[in-house]
Amino acid sequence: MDFKPTILITGAASGIGSAVARRVAAPDVQLLLHTGRNLDALKAVADEARACGANVVVELCDLADPSVPARLVQAAGKAFGRVDQIVSNAGKAQRATFEEVSDDDLEQAFATMPIAFFRLVKEALPDLRISPQGRVVAVSSFVAHAFGTNDMHFSATGAAKAALEALAKSLAAQTAADGVTVNCVVPGFVRKDAGGHAATSADAMERAREITPNARLGEPSDVAELVAFLLSPAANHITGQTMHVDGGLLLR
């Protein structure tokens, strides 16, 4: 019987998450698409994926709620039998200096990124370990590697993304023998969807384009291409890696 992967994608209503959903949608794919807000946008992405032949269910819920990660895995199991692959993409960048960040800001960043990732993957591990193509891809950010780029500071977001990457590497080491791969994708400055959340101004994004060595902003599809590859059978010998999709930004 042909393998039909079930892929759980968080933060799929816009940007990178929606680009990943569109990229992997196919007749042999089953998708659980999540968003924490903007259900209408998520439903539109789901309709596009269905038009490509994918089976799709959607979930609207807040990943900061401790019960939600398990709920998403269980919903995928109920709809499709099990979870084979996870793309942990949900997260919100907050531009703020160290002094500007509050305790609540830091706690929220960790709750919605590394802690949600931990809970989500921990719930899905039994499924991932028996899957013929178990995959985990965590979407990080250049702000975990460069501090003050373009005179912009993301203190809480950078800390949360760095923790996300550390958890992913730890997981990769512990699941490699089971055939599960775990990798991080690290975008640079990426163009936002119209009407989507943007942590930086249009002027700052233009400056970001100027300081990126290939002289352009990333597109969500640029990141989606790498994510799709890491989910594929061709990437079965790649695990524990942190891969940058940034036009050479960190070469500066």
Side-chain angles (χ1 to χ4, degrees), residues 70-247:
R71 169 182 153 186
L72 292 178
V73 174
Q74 292 161 11
K78 181 178 180 180
F80 305 123
R82 71 176 181 222
V83 173
D84 297 289
Q85 304 181 341
I86 292 174
V87 180
S88 180
N89 168 72
K92 180 179 178 181
Q94 180 196 19
R95 182 179 177 184
T97 66
F98 194 98
E99 291 176 313
E100 291 169 338
V101 172
S102 68
D103 286 4
D104 286 346
D105 291 334
L106 192 61
E107 289 172 4
Q108 182 71 8
F110 271 74
T112 56
M113 288 182 271
I115 294 175
F117 169 82
F118 168 77
R119 290 169 174 155
L120 188 68
V121 178
K122 190 172 184 179
E123 181 71 20
L125 265 179
D127 285 355
L128 294 169
R129 284 190 160 118
I130 64 171
S131 172
Q133 199 171 305
R135 300 281 191 270
V136 178
V137 178
V139 179
S140 185
S141 170
F142 76 94
V143 301
H145 300 266
F147 305 91
T149 301
N150 203 21
D151 296 322
M152 294 189 293
H153 301 276
F154 296 85
S155 301
T157 306
K161 291 294 193 181
L164 175 68
E165 292 184 18
L167 280 170
K169 285 182 178 290
S170 179
L171 178 66
Q174 295 171 55
T175 58
D178 300 310
V180 179
T181 69
V182 186
N183 293 287
C184 294
V185 173
V186 186
F189 290 102
V190 175
R191 192 184 309 278
K192 302 300 180 184
D193 292 346
H197 166 73
T200 56
S201 67
D203 288 345
M205 290 300 279
E206 174 58 23
R207 171 61 181 152
R209 183 192 64 75
E210 293 172 354
I211 67 171
T212 300
N214 71 353
R216 74 171 178 87
L217 296 175
E219 299 291 341
S221 59
D222 295 325
V223 185
E225 287 295 333
L226 178 55
V227 173
F229 171 70
L230 292 172
L231 297 177
S232 74
N236 65 7
H237 200 53
I238 301 172
T239 195
Q241 301 306 303
T242 301
M243 302 184 184
H244 297 262
V245 188
D246 64 4

